[in-house]
Amino acid sequence: MTTEQAVGAHLAIEQVAGLNGSEQVVIGTSHVGVMSTGLGWRGPRLVVRSGQDGADLALLDVLTEERIHERFDEVVLVSGDGIFAETVSALAAAGVDVTVVAHPGRCSKRLSFAAARTSLFDGLAVGFGGAA
């Protein structure tokens, strides 16, 4: 991810998820994208893991190991990857309202089913990849 893509992702996510600046934002990335992600979207917590599904696995650790269900009423997950389906389902069962934000045509059916809501990016946001 380039810094420009990180800025674009920030703007697109802010618009689709209705961010107002008071949220706790966690971004998963690999070592390759950590610098440009941090420069393009200042403020969020960055969790870093490399390798296959590294960024997803780093986010999964946050969702499963940090008592999210005890600390938050709502979670917005920006990813369409089915790797999150089981965790989203568990959060929902614990009473957390989960919204998934994904690219059109790129959201796992299992993930969409597990979430309370699924929102899709419009055509302007399709230029960046990965999860946030």
Side-chain angles (χ1 to χ4, degrees), residues 57 59-69 87 90-91:
L57 294 172
L59 285 174
L60 277 171
D61 282 350
V62 171
L63 292 171
T64 60
E65 303 299 323
E66 296 187 11
R67 300 182 349 266
I68 297 300
H69 66 285
T87 300
L91 287 170

Side-chain angles (χ1 to χ4, degrees), residues 7-111:
V7 170
H10 180 189
L11 295 173
I13 292 166
E14 192 172 70
Q15 180 181 3
V16 172
L19 301 182
N20 64 23
S22 66
E23 302 82 7
Q24 179 176 343
V25 177
V26 179
I27 299 174
T29 185
S30 74
H31 71 282
V32 175
V34 71
M35 182 67 78
S36 55
T37 300
L39 291 172
W41 188 345
R42 294 177 187 226
R45 174 181 168 199
L46 300 180
V47 291
V48 182
R49 185 173 305 166
S50 297
Q52 185 172 351
D53 296 325
D56 291 342
L57 294 172
L59 285 174
L60 277 171
D61 282 350
V62 171
L63 292 171
T64 60
E65 303 299 323
E66 296 187 11
R67 300 182 349 266
I68 297 300
H69 66 285
E70 295 176 14
R71 299 170 44 224
F72 298 97
D73 296 325
E74 180 180 9
V75 168
V76 176
L77 175 68
V78 182
S79 176
D81 197 319
I83 196 171
F84 293 102
E86 186 176 322
T87 300
V88 167
S89 182
L91 287 170
V96 178
D97 185 27
V98 181
T99 299
V100 167
V101 178
H103 294 289
R106 293 179 55 194
C107 186
S108 157
K109 290 180 184 179
R110 286 182 39 231
L111 178 59

